[in-house]
Structure formats: C-alpha cells, structure tokens
Amino acid sequence: MKCVFVTVGTTSFDDLIACVLAPDSLQKTESLGYNRLILQIGRGTVVPEPFSTESFTLDVYRYKDSLKEDIRKADLVISHAGAGSCLEALEKGKPLVVVINGKLMNNHQLELAKQLHKEGHLFYCTCSTLRHCTPAW
Amino acid sequence: MMCVLILAAAAGAVAAFLILRIWVVLRSRDFTPRESLSILVVAGSGGHTTEILRLLGSLSNAYSPRHYVIADADEMSANKINSFELDRADRDPNNMYTKYYIHRIPRSREVRQSWPSTVFTTLHSMWLSFPLIHQVKPDLVLCNGPGTCVPICVSALLLGILGIKKVIIVYVESVCRVETLSLSGKILFHLSDYFIVQWPALKEKYPKSVYLGRIV
C-alpha cells in the first residue's frame, strides 16, 4: 500500500489541505500508484470527511503525540515548511515535498526550504504549483 | 525652578546608574564552575517547542531543576514537555527524581497579530514575566526565538541590573533562520551572553555569534 502523508504541524494551512483534496489532485495521487492519503490538519478549519473505498483510503486527524509512525509508513511526505516536520521526515529518509504557506508573516520558512532544496534534500513549491512538482510525485 | 533642576539631576543620575549597570551586566562573564545549573527554558508554541526539546535531548543532568515557560493555553507544548521528561526519566533511572516545572505566561504576540498591538501585549507579558523570573531566579535562561522569550530575557537581564542575580542568557536561533535573524534574534543579539546560529551565512553576518553547525 503506497501512502502519502500530509502534515501541517501545529499550524493551520487550509490552502494545502484544500489543494491536496481537489479532484484533479486526488486523481493524480491515485494515478501515481498511491492508495492511501493521510492528512494531519493541525489547527485547520477545513476538516475533510475520511473515507475508504476498495482502491483508496483517506485518513484525517488533527494531532497525534508523535508523527513518527505515520512518517515511517509514508512513501511520500508533503509538509508545511516547519523545521520540526522537515527534519523528522528527512531523518526517516522520506521523499519530501515542502509547501510554502504564502500567508505567513515574512515567510521565514521559505529560507529553510530553499536551503535544504539547494542541498538536494527536498522539493518545494506553493499550493498553486504543487501539482507541477512532478519530479517528487 | 530649583525643584525641577533637582528632579532633573536625580533623573539623570538614575539614568546614568542604570546605563552603567546594564553595561556591567552585559559585559560580565561568570565562569565560576558549578555542579549544577538551574535552567529556565522558554518553549514557544509548535515548532519552537519541538526544536528546543530536540536541543535539550543531550542535556546532562547537571542542568536541573528545569523550569519550562509556555504560553497560556498551549497544552500541546505542555504535553510535549511531559513526554520528553518522562522519556528522559525512563532512559536514565538515576534521573528519576530530577524535578521539572511548567510555568505559564500570556503570549507576547499571536501569529499574524499586528505590530502596533504587539507592543502592548509584549509590555503586558513583561509585567507578568518579571515576577516569574524573580521567583525562579534561574542560573541560565535558554530560548530559541518565539516572541514569548523577549519579555523573559529582558526580565532576566533586569534581575542582573537590579543586583539581584546575574542570569546567563543563551539564545539559539531557530534552524529555520538561514540568511536572516528573527525579530527576537535581532533584539536578543545584543542582550544575550551566548548567541548561537545554525547556518554559516548568519555567522558571516554576525561574527560575534557562535556557530556549531546544526544542533537540533
């Protein structure tokens, strides 16, 4: 079972959740061979309904004591640009796509994403360019 | 007229004295070897708490008791801290009785809060931080950048200025900060005893900082 884990840490990042759940995104996810999508939504106000079909499962939750297990199970991690989330995913050796939240003050998270990308550790994009982030997908 | 002059002279003397005290406190480096250091850790919300707990992962038992300061209603940080301390106690049975405490103060600034209103909430936080610092009187304050740490560090500095206790202030800039310092960093760069950055570009810009690579 190939799994995508989406995490926003303790923040609210509704744009990312909405983007990942858009019909064409879900289609793309499935077409790339993933049949499980786990959304850790933090403080977000977009709360999708989990579902499970024969071919695809969607899990949703706000927080867990530790994300280690979900990161371990994932084949791809899509994360907000928080340091903790990035470091945890990279320490587990997972392919990582970081999505920058354009609505944050001064967007300091962009610095870390850019630097880690320069060093070849992850891909980064915004919500609107996520679907074009094909190398990672 | 005389009264005004006397008052002005008195105010001038107090100001001069305070400036001298600030200069003395900021310059002093206390190298007395000690068996243990009580440490006050500022745990800002979310990622800041995660980072600072990663930092504390390798801390020796000499740093105790540990006092954690979190923002009001930040139960997530409280849970993370409790898990961390439990893990620590599990890994080292001799450590079982090391005490730790969690203190709560109001936030200096909410995410996306406007800057003008931040001035007021920060002053309010200062009003409440100082009694806490005065009560705890830690040997060392450790923080990594959330707004909450500015009132705490300024309160710690005040303890020194008032001749009550010299508190060592250690600031570790978040690993997120590659090229530029956070606002807390810019403020505390001048007020801390040890200012640690985690990327070479910052060491270049701020040669007086300490660079040890990534430490979280």
Side-chain angles (χ1 to χ4, degrees), chain B residues 76-111:
Chain B
M76 188 130 356
S77 290
N79 293 338
K80 284 188 190 163
I81 291 166
N82 289 325
S83 298
F84 169 78
E85 288 286 345
L86 242 101
D87 261 347
R88 224 190 132 88
D90 278 341
R91 276 182 286 128
D92 177 9
N94 301 329
N95 197 14
M96 255 195 317
Y97 300 106
T98 302
K99 288 194 175 228
Y100 73 96
Y101 307 88
I102 298 181
H103 309 272
R104 290 167 166 80
I105 61 167
R107 274 187 186 274
S108 290
R109 179 180 174 271
E110 295 290 339
V111 176

Side-chain angles (χ1 to χ4, degrees), chain A residues 5 7 71-72 76-79 83-98 121, chain B residues 54:
Chain A
F5 179 55
T7 172
I71 293 176
R72 197 189 58 80
L76 170 67
V77 177
I78 299 177
S79 167
S85 306
C86 291
L87 291 175
E88 266 196 285
L90 291 174
E91 277 169 350
K92 294 266 178 303
K94 299 296 171 176
L96 176 61
V97 174
V98 164
H121 300 303
Chain B
R54 288 173 72 108

Side-chain angles (χ1 to χ4, degrees), chain B residues 25-46:
Chain B
V25 167
L26 287 178
R27 278 270 182 275
S28 77
R29 288 278 183 275
D30 185 358
F31 290 120
T32 329
R34 287 174 255 204
E35 270 190 23
S36 75
L37 274 179
S38 68
I39 180 174
L40 187 125
V41 179
V42 182
S45 54

Side-chain angles (χ1 to χ4, degrees), chain A residues 10 91 105 108 111-112 115, chain B residues 46 54 115 178-180 199:
Chain A
T10 55
E91 277 169 350
M105 188 231 359
H108 64 272
E111 276 181 35
L112 181 65
Q115 182 64 29
Chain B
R54 288 173 72 108
W115 291 115
V178 181
E179 308 262 346
T180 59
W199 294 95

Side-chain angles (χ1 to χ4, degrees), chain B residues 3-25:
Chain B
C3 286
V4 174
L5 281 173
I6 293 173
L7 273 171
V14 170
F17 176 72
L18 278 174
I19 291 171
L20 183 67
R21 282 299 300 162
I22 293 172
W23 188 82
V24 165
V25 167

Side-chain angles (χ1 to χ4, degrees), chain B:
Chain B
M1 190 56 193
M2 266 305 271
C3 286
V4 174
L5 281 173
I6 293 173
L7 273 171
V14 170
F17 176 72
L18 278 174
I19 291 171
L20 183 67
R21 282 299 300 162
I22 293 172
W23 188 82
V24 165
V25 167
L26 287 178
R27 278 270 182 275
S28 77
R29 288 278 183 275
D30 185 358
F31 290 120
T32 329
R34 287 174 255 204
E35 270 190 23
S36 75
L37 274 179
S38 68
I39 180 174
L40 187 125
V41 179
V42 182
S45 54
H48 285 286
T49 299
T50 305
E51 261 200 70
I52 209 142
L53 291 179
R54 288 173 72 108
L55 205 58
L56 294 176
S58 318
L59 208 63
S60 83
N61 296 339
Y63 292 91
S64 58
R66 288 180 288 282
H67 295 263
Y68 294 90
V69 179
I70 64 177
D72 261 338
D74 184 5
E75 283 321 304
M76 188 130 356
S77 290
N79 293 338
K80 284 188 190 163
I81 291 166
N82 289 325
S83 298
F84 169 78
E85 288 286 345
L86 242 101
D87 261 347
R88 224 190 132 88
D90 278 341
R91 276 182 286 128
D92 177 9
N94 301 329
N95 197 14
M96 255 195 317
Y97 300 106
T98 302
K99 288 194 175 228
Y100 73 96
Y101 307 88
I102 298 181
H103 309 272
R104 290 167 166 80
I105 61 167
R107 274 187 186 274
S108 290
R109 179 180 174 271
E110 295 290 339
V111 176
R112 291 182 224 165
Q113 181 180 336
S114 78
W115 291 115
S117 69
T118 300
V119 176
F120 289 105
T121 47
T122 305
L123 286 172
H124 178 56
S125 298
M126 271 258 18
W127 184 252
L128 292 153
S129 316
F130 186 74
L132 173 64
I133 299 292
H134 186 266
Q135 177 215 323
V136 172
K137 292 194 184 64
D139 294 308
L140 188 149
V141 167
L142 176 69
C143 53
N144 71 347
T148 332
C149 68
V150 175
I152 300 272
C153 290
V154 172
S155 300
L157 206 59
L158 209 50
L159 270 191
I161 292 169
L162 295 173
I164 301 174
K165 180 170 189 170
K166 161 71 184 174
V167 178
I168 303 168
I169 299 174
V170 178
Y171 182 91
V172 181
E173 186 61 285
S174 163
V175 74
C176 282
R177 292 297 180 162
V178 181
E179 308 262 346
T180 59
L181 289 188
S182 61
L183 182 57
S184 306
K186 286 179 188 159
I187 295 170
L188 292 173
F189 178 64
H190 304 285
L191 305 179
S192 55
D193 293 288
Y194 299 93
F195 190 89
I196 301 172
V197 296
Q198 302 191 57
W199 294 95
L202 284 175
K203 173 66 180 174
E204 268 183 52
K205 286 189 188 151
Y206 302 91
K208 287 195 183 155
S209 64
V210 175
Y211 171 62
L212 303 163
R214 176 170 66 91
I215 56 174
V216 297

